[in-house]
Amino acid sequence: MSQELLKGMNPQQAEAVTTTEGPLLIMAGAGSGKTRVLTHRVAHLIQDQKVAPWRILAITFTNKAAREMKERIADLIGVTDANRVWISTFHAMAVRMLRRDIDKLGYKRDFTIIDAGAQRTLVKRILKDQNVDIEKFDPRSVLSAISNAKNAMETPVGYAKTANDIFSKIVAKAYAAYQKQLELAQSVDFDDLIMLTIELLEQEPEVLAYYQDKFEYIHVDEYQDTNDAQYRLIQLLAAGWKNLAVVGDSDQSIYGWRGANLEIILNFEKDYLGAKKVLLEQNYRSTQIILNAANDVIANNHGRISKNLWTDNGDGEKITYHRSNSDRDEAVYILGEITNQVKNKNRQYRDFAILYRANAQSRGIEEALVKANIPYTMVGGSKFYERKEIRDILAYLSLITNPADDESFLRVVNEPKRGLGDTSIIKLRAFASEHNWPLLEAAANAHLMNDLQSRAQNKLMDFAILMQKLIQQEQFDVSITDLTRAVYQETKYVETLKVSPTPENENRLENLDEFLTVTEQFDKNYEPDEDSVSKYVDFMSELALVSDIDNVDQEDNNVTLMTLHAAKGLEFPVVFLVGMEESIFPSFRAIIDPKQLDEERRLAYVGITRAKEKLYLTNAYSRMLYGKMSNNMASRFIDEISPKYLDMSAAGQLDSYQAREASLPFARRFQPATGTTFQGRPVGQREPNNRNLTSSRQIHQAPNPDNLEQSVSWSVGDLVTHKKWGTGTVVKVNGLGEDMELDVAFESQGIKRLLAAFAPIKKQE
């Protein structure tokens, strides 16, 4: 055993590295060095156990993580062996397998992977063809339902059998048509990549046996984020050697909304009897106070594998809690803190991250940064590969590599403008369907369309000739860069933009120039693997698998703005968690759904543990969001942090009632009501810094005789009827008798705090 590989590791990390045989669950807390453990484990297998690199599979969830893993392994054992290890995302692995054997399922090996924009366009067109009111049934919702069905491994036929309401029946019909269109176009979507790989392995015993034998050791990172389809794929691959090591953290499972199944990691030891479990609890990233806050918050969740993060980094600074009068004041406060620390603490802008629950919250902060002339990067905002001009060029390239790609054809047949109207395209689609041809082939035969004017026929045939010329360029094996330049020139795309030099078109031209940087980098670094179809197919596959997080460059000296979901896997010296308010974080839906609330709390845990040295929690009395002014109580997640870890000196101005509350000992202010429980745990901390209180101290009114006479007892989850606001759900209970306060979530009003004895409410039995 090479002691060099274990140098500096704690006992638990060393145990995880050296436990190589059989199933292994590595429960790795935030910042506990899991990437180091994974990379050193792979190095140990190759260097000490003499395992062939190509017999090792390591699956991550982002390209960025895969690149980092490969680089670290290369540092340990050299580039040659590191390149021979299969290190990829789930989807990249599936693409590689499908490129090799998808022809066994009736697809061509040069299939196209359609992007999210093309998916939405296709579903929208299908719904219109099926006379569905897209104002009532949002195409995005339908597409999301189709995606969830695929992640649950439901085929169109299987989904239709269980469709028992109007929406699911619409989805079932759209799903069937959607899948048929993809198959005709020799295209797959992201979810198909996993689903088709499973289908391939289950239907082709020889293919399954090949991969089961090949992958003697399998590693899966971020196991808590796997969905049912990914779980099944790993189960199939690991059934051969059973040397499966999974790394994850049940407390960081934050993707339930897109199909991640927390039960998968919780049931690992049941699925793989005799599995060994190693807990990584020592954190190398954050200060102890930040970790204590994270531990406090997550302890309120149920259904978790308990652990307690600790560090040798020292206690560090207290967490600053600031409550502003408005969201604008909140942004000003944040900018003031950043400016002060850059000036007085020698920090750089890249040290700061501003994290929020929803993208819509970024607008005010972004405006303030612009006015303050502070450089920033917004992750998940205007994405490079989703800009119109880039999507247009990608559609041309996709149509070149796969002439059956009807979605790409429809995107570019009239881009730049060629004088083809909607009626001509509708007739072309009908003509193609009649002959069972792809649209490009139909366009080449447009002279056979008797119901189309000769002018339109000629334009369609001219387009087909243009595309054939570009397809021939590919067949001459030119570089990706030269092929892209040919597209720019032959289609007159760049020329058209130059003719009208508006600021918008100038920006588009700059983006097209930047795209050539992407192609040049690919050409320079391209090395085909044993399963490659062509460099053109590999290039399109690589771009299809790019995610937002892959483009985060923490070396740029910019403040980073991003959602909490996007921040997973990253770390910053200083983190601002903004908008920490009930109905925002946690979201309104989560407040009335215990399962969603647990996931929101895990999201808070993720956000807190992104901070290395300093953490700020901010919110506001009033906030303009989604075109509506709201007054929200401070987030319960702040209440759940012990006051000894919070610096309240920047909490903001308090009114007289709040000042009285603030003067009370924290233990009393935050003490839950006796006997009040929520899923077996105490609930109902009092909110000290909130103006939206309805209390006897503010409003002098007589008790509600109905509530007093009935001696109503209240619990979290009770339904109430309010004379003005309608039906609501009790989400928090505090106090006893006439002093009992209820936090009630109303659909139209958000959360309101009411005195149970005085409010015009009735309990629904």
Side-chain angles (χ1 to χ4, degrees):
M1 173 66 200
S2 171
Q3 291 304 311
E4 190 66 28
L5 285 175
L6 299 183
K7 188 177 180 180
M9 285 193 169
N10 64 45
Q12 291 74 30
Q13 290 176 324
E15 184 181 13
V17 168
T18 56
T19 303
T20 58
E21 306 306 304
L24 172 67
L25 171 62
I26 305 170
M27 192 62 74
S32 61
K34 68 180 178 67
T35 303
R36 186 171 186 232
V37 167
L38 273 177
T39 53
H40 282 241
R41 194 174 192 275
V42 170
H44 168 58
L45 286 168
I46 296 170
Q47 186 172 291
D48 301 322
Q49 305 291 90
K50 306 306 178 185
V51 176
W54 53 87
R55 304 205 68 181
I56 300 172
L57 171 65
I59 303 174
T60 70
F61 268 78
T62 67
N63 295 318
K64 183 175 183 289
R67 283 197 303 270
E68 181 183 355
M69 188 179 293
K70 182 168 287 190
E71 288 167 1
R72 288 206 199 181
I73 293 172
D75 289 340
L76 294 171
I77 61 172
V79 174
T80 301
D81 279 345
N83 285 338
R84 290 172 177 168
V85 180
W86 270 47
I87 305 173
S88 72
T89 64
F90 269 105
H91 292 97
M93 177 187 70
V95 169
R96 193 168 174 181
M97 291 179 174
L98 292 173
R99 292 291 182 208
R100 182 177 183 270
D101 289 306
I102 197 172
D103 54 325
K104 293 178 172 63
L105 298 179
Y107 286 79
K108 294 180 181 178
R109 293 174 65 204
D110 60 355
F111 62 86
T112 295
I113 305 168
I114 70 169
D115 62 25
Q119 285 181 271
R120 290 192 294 269
T121 301
L122 176 55
V123 168
K124 186 176 181 180
R125 186 164 57 252
I126 286 170
L127 292 174
K128 286 184 175 180
D129 288 347
Q130 294 176 347
N131 295 317
V132 173
D133 183 352
I134 62 172
E135 295 297 323
K136 187 175 181 181
F137 298 98
D138 181 15
R140 289 175 184 265
S141 299
V142 173
L143 182 58
S144 178
I146 292 172
S147 176
N148 289 337
K150 290 186 177 186
N151 288 332
M153 294 180 292
E154 287 186 284
T155 64
V157 173
Y159 185 90
K161 287 179 180 177
T162 59
N164 53 17
D165 59 69
I166 294 175
F167 179 72
S168 59
K169 287 178 180 178
I170 286 172
V171 171
K173 190 176 179 183
Y175 184 8
Y178 172 79
Q179 209 59 26
K180 182 180 179 182
Q181 286 296 313
L182 290 185
E183 290 169 8
L184 287 172
Q186 288 293 306
S187 298
V188 301
D189 63 20
F190 247 51
D191 301 314
D192 283 330
L193 293 174
I194 307 297
M195 200 171 181
L196 287 172
T197 304
I198 293 170
E199 185 180 335
L200 175 67
L201 296 177
E202 290 181 337
Q203 290 187 11
E204 301 294 330
E206 290 183 3
V207 176
L208 177 61
Y210 170 80
Y211 286 110
Q212 283 182 340
D213 180 64
K214 177 181 178 65
F215 298 131
E216 187 176 355
Y217 294 91
I218 298 175
H219 305 76
V220 184
D221 193 12
E222 305 288 6
Y223 194 64
Q224 78 281 347
D225 292 332
T226 50
N227 59 38
D228 292 344
Q230 292 161 342
Y231 165 75
R232 177 59 180 155
L233 179 54
I234 292 302
Q235 193 179 46
L236 285 166
L237 295 174
W241 292 92
K242 297 183 173 61
N243 295 323
L244 172 63
V246 302
V247 186
D249 182 2
S250 57
D251 291 335
Q252 294 188 71
S253 180
I254 59 173
Y255 296 114
W257 51 276
R258 70 180 187 197
N261 184 351
L262 177 61
E263 297 301 315
I264 289 173
I265 192 169
L266 296 178
N267 291 334
F268 183 83
E269 292 170 282
K270 295 178 183 177
D271 290 340
Y272 298 93
L273 297 178
K276 187 169 186 177
K277 180 170 70 176
V278 177
L279 291 180
L280 302 183
E281 298 176 291
Q282 183 175 358
N283 177 284
Y284 294 90
R285 174 192 299 157
S286 306
T287 64
Q288 190 62 57
I289 281 180
I290 290 171
L291 297 181
N292 289 343
N295 289 332
D296 279 358
V297 171
I298 203 63
N300 290 275
N301 266 10
H302 69 297
R304 57 184 291 262
I305 297 175
S306 181
K307 62 184 182 307
N308 194 57
L309 296 181
W310 64 276
T311 186
D312 284 333
N313 292 341
D315 287 344
E317 292 185 55
K318 281 190 174 185
I319 297 163
T320 298
Y321 170 48
H322 181 83
R323 188 161 174 81
S324 301
N325 285 324
S326 68
D327 50 325
R328 288 190 177 187
D329 292 337
E330 180 185 42
V332 170
Y333 170 75
I334 292 167
L335 265 58
E337 288 298 302
I338 292 174
T339 302
N340 180 59
Q341 292 206 29
V342 168
K343 181 179 179 181
N344 300 321
K345 294 193 176 183
N346 295 318
R347 292 199 187 276
Q348 295 182 297
Y349 289 125
R350 70 168 67 98
D351 294 335
F352 300 90
I354 303 171
L355 310 182
Y356 34 80
R357 178 63 182 82
N359 271 312
Q361 292 172 253
S362 68
R363 182 188 57 80
I365 297 170
E366 192 178 4
E367 288 178 359
L369 286 165
V370 170
K371 290 175 182 176
N373 200 30
I374 293 177
Y376 68 94
T377 298
M378 189 163 65
V379 179
S382 182
K383 304 167 191 173
F384 181 75
Y385 292 104
E386 288 191 7
R387 289 169 179 156
K388 179 188 180 302
E389 60 277 11
I390 302 302
R391 289 188 63 199
D392 287 345
I393 298 306
L394 287 174
Y396 272 113
L397 293 172
S398 182
L399 192 56
I400 291 168
T401 56
N402 176 14
D405 184 357
D406 285 353
E407 289 309 304
S408 292
F409 176 95
L410 290 169
R411 181 172 186 90
V412 298
V413 67
N414 207 27
E415 192 64 56
K417 299 298 181 187
R418 296 186 173 90
L420 289 165
D422 291 342
T423 302
S424 298
I425 300 303
I426 290 171
K427 289 179 178 179
L428 179 69
R429 287 179 58 208
F431 177 66
S433 178
E434 180 185 345
H435 291 83
N436 201 26
W437 285 340
L439 290 174
L440 185 58
E441 186 174 353
N445 291 281
H447 61 285
L448 301 176
M449 296 176 63
N450 297 325
D451 60 344
L452 194 63
Q453 292 180 353
S454 59
R455 180 175 172 276
Q457 290 178 355
N458 291 334
K459 289 185 180 297
L460 286 170
M461 289 188 291
D462 287 346
F463 178 74
I465 292 169
L466 166 66
M467 290 310 304
Q468 187 57 43
K469 184 177 180 180
L470 291 169
I471 290 168
Q472 287 173 351
Q473 290 268 338
E474 180 199 23
Q475 293 168 352
F476 292 149
D477 199 31
V478 300
S479 69
I480 300 295
T481 301
D482 286 344
L483 180 61
T484 304
R485 289 187 188 279
V487 170
Y488 287 3
Q489 181 177 340
E490 298 296 335
T491 64
K492 294 184 170 50
Y493 196 98
V494 169
E495 181 183 318
T496 303
L497 292 175
K498 287 181 176 178
V499 167
S500 179
T502 63
E504 183 181 23
N505 284 348
E506 291 290 341
N507 185 53
R508 287 179 172 169
L509 287 167
E510 289 175 3
N511 289 333
L512 292 173
D513 284 341
E514 179 62 24
F515 185 68
L516 290 176
T517 302
V518 175
T519 63
E520 286 168 356
Q521 287 177 345
F522 178 87
D523 288 329
K524 180 181 177 181
N525 301 320
Y526 178 63
E527 291 182 10
D529 60 48
E530 60 188 76
D531 303 316
S532 293
V533 178
S534 74
K535 64 184 172 187
Y536 307 102
V537 171
D538 287 348
F539 176 70
M540 296 306 294
S541 293
E542 184 174 299
L543 291 193
L545 299 173
V546 168
S547 66
D548 290 346
I549 197 69
D550 298 329
N551 297 315
V552 177
D553 186 352
Q554 290 184 264
E555 295 306 310
D556 288 344
N557 193 24
N558 298 332
V559 175
T560 301
L561 275 66
M562 64 173 71
T563 65
L564 283 150
H565 283 99
K568 191 160 175 287
L570 301 177
E571 58 184 48
F572 301 88
V574 184
V575 168
F576 293 86
L577 295 189
V578 306
M580 297 288 290
E581 300 157 27
E582 296 286 292
S583 293
I584 294 178
F585 189 39
S587 66
F588 177 80
R589 287 186 179 181
I591 289 169
I592 58 178
D593 182 339
K595 188 175 180 180
Q596 288 192 43
L597 182 58
D598 280 354
E599 181 152 320
E600 291 280 295
R601 189 172 281 108
R602 292 193 292 270
L603 190 57
Y605 174 86
V606 166
I608 291 169
T609 54
R610 297 313 93 194
K612 296 168 67 177
E613 301 167 15
K614 177 65 181 177
L615 176 64
Y616 290 83
L617 307 176
T618 70
N619 53 30
Y621 289 117
S622 63
R623 181 177 303 276
M624 177 65 75
L625 193 62
Y626 307 118
K628 178 183 176 183
M629 184 64 74
S630 61
N631 301 92
N632 300 313
M633 293 181 286
S635 170
R636 69 190 64 201
F637 301 145
I638 297 172
D639 287 359
E640 291 169 356
I641 298 172
S642 171
K644 62 186 177 184
Y645 307 132
L646 296 175
D647 176 4
M648 303 286 288
S649 62
Q653 290 290 326
L654 307 177
D655 62 26
S656 58
Y657 170 60
Q658 293 156 346
R660 191 195 75 81
E661 285 287 291
S663 69
L664 294 173
F666 256 97
R668 179 171 168 195
R669 273 188 281 148
F670 289 94
Q671 185 175 4
T674 304
T676 304
T677 61
F678 180 62
Q679 295 182 341
R681 62 179 184 271
V683 297
Q685 289 94 349
R686 184 185 296 276
E687 157 58 23
N689 296 327
N690 176 57
R691 283 187 169 170
N692 192 30
L693 300 177
T694 303
S695 82
S696 58
R697 300 173 182 84
Q698 295 172 301
I699 302 172
H700 301 285
Q701 65 183 111
N704 182 343
D706 291 338
N707 293 344
L708 288 180
E709 289 172 11
Q710 296 172 14
S711 299
V712 178
S713 62
W714 296 96
S715 301
V716 170
D718 285 344
L719 294 179
V720 308
T721 302
H722 189 282
K723 286 185 177 179
K724 182 178 179 182
W725 298 328
T727 301
T729 303
V730 177
V731 296
K732 198 183 280 189
V733 181
N734 192 65
L736 298 170
E738 287 191 18
D739 290 330
M740 181 182 287
E741 293 178 343
L742 307 178
D743 289 356
V744 183
F746 295 97
E747 187 73 42
S748 60
Q749 299 293 320
I751 299 175
K752 296 292 184 182
R753 177 162 293 174
L754 309 172
L755 278 173
F758 293 80
I761 57 174
K762 282 189 177 182
K763 182 177 180 180
Q764 290 188 13
E765 299 299 334

